[in-house]
Each structure stands twice: as C-alpha cells, then as structure tokens.
Amino acid sequence: MRRLINDGQNVVNEWIEGYTSAFNEYVEQDPDNPGVILGKHIADKHVKIIIGGGSGHEPLFPGYIGKNLADASVAGNINTSPSPQAVYEAIKKVDTGEGVLMLYGNYSGDCMNFDMAAEMAEDEGHKVDSLPITDDVFSAKNVSDRRGVAGDLIVIKAAAAAAAQGKNLAEVKAAAEMANRQTHSMGMALSSETNPLTGKEVFTMEEGDMEIGMGIHGEPGIKREKLKSADEVVSEMTDYILADMKTDENTQVYVILNGLGGLPLMDQFICYRKLAQILQEHKIKVYHALVGNYATSMDMIGMSITLAQLTPELQELLDFPCDAPYWRV
C-alpha cells in the first residue's frame, strides 16, 4: 500500500482533525459528533445547506464549506454513507429557523440515511428537504437513477448562492434542481483506489488498461480496454456528454476537469487542452474552467469531465461571491 497513514481504523477521524485544524478560520469539528464539520458562519439567518457522503473524496465535501457556500458536511467511513444520527445532529446544529437543504450524490445508502435523518428532524419541527445529485450521464438512462460525481460542486454552489440571496427553502431547492438538470459528467480510470482500512485495492485493473465511465467509488464503466492517448480518451468521453445535452451556437458551459486523486496536473491540463479544442469545434463557449482535484477517489488514477450548460440564472448563481478553502469567487 502506497499511503501515508497511521492506523487504518482511525483515518476518518484523523483526516477530519487535520482538515479542521488547517482551515480553522472556516470550519470546526463538532466535539459531540466527530463526523460532522461545521462552518463558522452558520449564525447567519438563511436556509442552511448540508452536504456529505463517504470519506475518500476529499476535498469533497468539507472543502466547500464557507461563506455563501455549504454550512456543514457529514462524513461517513471510507466510501460509506454517514449515519442518520450524524446527519440529524448536523441539522440540529445548523438550522436557524429558515430550513435546511441537504445535497449528496445519488447513492442508495446516502438517500436512505439522509432521508431517515430528515424524518427525525422533521418530527422535532425542523423544515428539511433534500436533493440527490444525478450528473453522471453514463450511469443510467433515467436521469433520476444516475449517480452524482464531480457535478456535485455545481449544484452545491447554485443552491448555496440562492440561500445567501435570501431565497426560501422551496426556492433554494428549485435552484439546486435547475443546476442538477444542467450538469453533465463522465469519468474514467486507469487504476483502482486503495482502501486504507484493508491496504488493498478496491478492484483489480491491469497496468496499461483503462475503464471509461467508471464512478468515484469504482463502479463499473462502459468498457475496459487498453489505454489510449489523452486526445482519444477525452474525445470519447466528450462525445458521450454532448450526446446528453442540447447545444447550439449560443451554448456556454462551466467546465470542471477533475482529477480523481492520482493523475498528475500535467496530464489534467493536457486533457483540458483537447477538451477546449472539441468545445470550440462544436461552437460551445467556455465561460469558466476549473482544472484540478475537486472530487477524488483517494489515490485512483483517473479524471472526470463536467459540463454545466449555463442559463442566465445558473450563471448568476455560479458568479455569486463565495469563500471556502477549495472554491473562491
């Protein structure tokens, strides 16, 4: 195992302790609930945004807690949903009376546990709503069945901006739903991730192979084949994404080219180079681009592409000022 950790059983608590120490001007670890990371700005009275999921995808989710972004994050064990109790405690800590919107990837464990927490909180008088994010274009034909990947960022940003503008809970959720509809992603991998609890790879992949369409937990993709050039890989992925979109000569996109943890930034920029060329060929304007590790899968070598097709409303929400350790506007 090529990981720099201590005891594998303690990795979740130790990474949270390290993260909250490094960014203590933004966040703090809830002393009563170690998996809950709270923003230090949550006293502001507006709809609160709670995000979260399994550990191993850092900086997703705590990297996006900050001013005009999320208010709290709940971390589960490695690739495992947080418990309903932890989510429930986070709701109680952040709600200031305007309601709470919870955002998370569309995975069965997350949906079940966040929904259970919402029911517990609603029984005590809290207003709670939720939205599973569904940006992965390959994972299902039915959009509501798709999983969430790096497009989580777009939805979180839009919802949080709407909340910061003083919109009510229904309006904030509507903004999140709109952003979710406009966001399209796809991933690929050249290696497995290494589980720090076992010291072993999560799945087996031969050196020199790649898998197109793989999810951030190692979910199977479209096909596994021998590694192609960066240009070929990006072209194939972008074809799938654009087939899921309706574009014309006026289309503008917000782009995230996301590293999954083990792919060098050099390679990510080579991939973005080709992506920009393809979008130009399709007369699609890049409004803004993010390149880097935004939603990882620990040490997996791979990347994902996210295109958020802008509407005037979505552009305004993405441009709204925010300040968090891993996203500033």
Side-chain angles (χ1 to χ4, degrees), residues 8-34:
Q9 298 296 324
N10 296 331
V11 291
V12 173
N13 190 60
E14 288 184 355
W15 82 251
I16 293 174
E17 184 180 343
Y19 182 85
T20 53
S21 177
F23 298 110
N24 58 46
E25 70 272 34
Y26 293 97
V27 294
E28 60 187 351
Q29 186 175 19
D30 185 346
D32 303 316
N33 305 283

Side-chain angles (χ1 to χ4, degrees), residues 19 23 59 62-65 69 153 290 293-294 323-328:
Y19 182 85
F23 298 110
Y64 311 109
I65 299 173
L69 267 174
L153 274 69
L290 301 174
N293 293 344
Y294 292 93
D323 183 14
Y326 285 88
W327 200 344
R328 292 188 178 96

Side-chain angles (χ1 to χ4, degrees), residues 269-313:
F269 284 117
I270 289 171
C271 291
Y272 180 79
R273 160 193 162 275
K274 181 60 178 178
L275 176 60
Q277 292 173 356
I278 294 169
L279 295 177
Q280 186 175 27
E281 290 166 4
H282 283 80
K283 301 188 182 332
I284 296 172
K285 180 181 177 182
V286 175
Y287 178 71
H288 189 73
L290 301 174
V291 179
N293 293 344
Y294 292 93
T296 66
S297 188
M298 292 182 283
D299 56 341
M300 183 184 286
I301 303 172
M303 61 93 177
S304 64
I305 295 170
T306 297
L307 301 181
Q309 189 167 351
L310 294 179
T311 64
E313 180 188 5

Side-chain angles (χ1 to χ4, degrees), residues 24-133:
N24 58 46
E25 70 272 34
Y26 293 97
V27 294
E28 60 187 351
Q29 186 175 19
D30 185 346
D32 303 316
N33 305 283
V36 176
I37 303 170
L38 301 170
K40 289 194 169 179
H41 60 289
I42 59 175
D44 299 337
K45 194 169 180 64
H46 57 69
V47 172
K48 294 298 185 288
I49 307 296
I50 293 178
I51 55 180
S55 293
H57 308 300
E58 296 74 33
L60 192 70
F61 291 90
Y64 311 109
I65 299 173
K67 183 178 180 181
N68 298 340
L69 267 174
D71 300 283
S73 174
V74 192
N77 288 323
I78 299 298
N79 286 347
T80 304
S81 306
S83 70
Q85 185 66 33
V87 178
Y88 163 71
E89 296 295 342
I91 293 170
K92 293 198 299 180
K93 285 290 176 75
V94 304
D95 187 17
T96 53
E98 299 299 313
V100 174
L101 179 65
M102 303 188 299
L103 301 170
Y104 44 87
N106 187 32
Y107 300 95
S108 57
D110 290 316
C111 294
M112 179 176 67
N113 290 355
F114 277 86
D115 284 351
M116 289 176 62
E119 292 175 5
M120 294 162 63
E122 287 168 346
D123 287 344
E124 295 190 355
H126 296 276
K127 294 188 297 182
V128 185
D129 209 337
S130 62
L131 178 68
I133 300 168

Side-chain angles (χ1 to χ4, degrees), residues 70-282:
D71 300 283
S73 174
V74 192
N77 288 323
I78 299 298
N79 286 347
T80 304
S81 306
S83 70
Q85 185 66 33
V87 178
Y88 163 71
E89 296 295 342
I91 293 170
K92 293 198 299 180
K93 285 290 176 75
V94 304
D95 187 17
T96 53
E98 299 299 313
V100 174
L101 179 65
M102 303 188 299
L103 301 170
Y104 44 87
N106 187 32
Y107 300 95
S108 57
D110 290 316
C111 294
M112 179 176 67
N113 290 355
F114 277 86
D115 284 351
M116 289 176 62
E119 292 175 5
M120 294 162 63
E122 287 168 346
D123 287 344
E124 295 190 355
H126 296 276
K127 294 188 297 182
V128 185
D129 209 337
S130 62
L131 178 68
I133 300 168
T134 57
D135 57 299
D136 188 339
V137 301
F138 164 71
S139 54
K141 289 184 178 180
N142 186 346
V143 174
S144 64
D145 294 329
R146 292 177 176 178
R147 60 198 176 208
V149 285
D152 288 8
L153 274 69
I154 299 294
V155 182
I156 293 166
K157 177 70 176 74
Q165 292 171 350
K167 298 184 185 298
N168 64 33
L169 181 57
E171 293 168 330
V172 172
K173 183 177 181 180
E177 291 172 329
M178 177 274 297
N180 192 41
R181 288 193 301 271
Q182 299 299 114
T183 304
H184 312 261
S185 302
M186 191 170 190
M188 63 83 62
L190 285 72
S191 77
S192 173
E193 57 188 356
T194 307
N195 189 327
L197 298 176
T198 65
K200 298 180 180 180
E201 293 183 336
V202 174
F203 58 90
T204 301
M205 179 177 283
E206 296 295 329
E207 186 171 350
D209 284 356
M210 68 173 190
E211 188 153 347
I212 299 289
M214 181 169 284
I216 60 174
H217 303 99
E219 296 91 345
I222 297 169
K223 58 183 177 180
R224 185 175 295 190
E225 58 188 2
K226 292 301 177 184
L227 178 61
K228 297 178 180 178
S229 69
D231 284 2
E232 291 174 299
V233 171
V234 172
S235 295
E236 184 172 354
M237 293 173 65
T238 309
D239 284 346
Y240 281 109
I241 294 172
L242 293 179
D244 201 60
M245 301 170 61
K246 295 180 180 179
T247 64
D248 56 34
E249 64 275 7
N250 298 314
T251 298
Q252 292 191 89
V253 292
Y254 205 104
V255 179
I256 303 173
L257 196 144
N258 171 61
L260 290 176
L263 188 69
L265 273 172
M266 174 185 285
D267 301 32
Q268 294 179 38
F269 284 117
I270 289 171
C271 291
Y272 180 79
R273 160 193 162 275
K274 181 60 178 178
L275 176 60
Q277 292 173 356
I278 294 169
L279 295 177
Q280 186 175 27
E281 290 166 4
H282 283 80

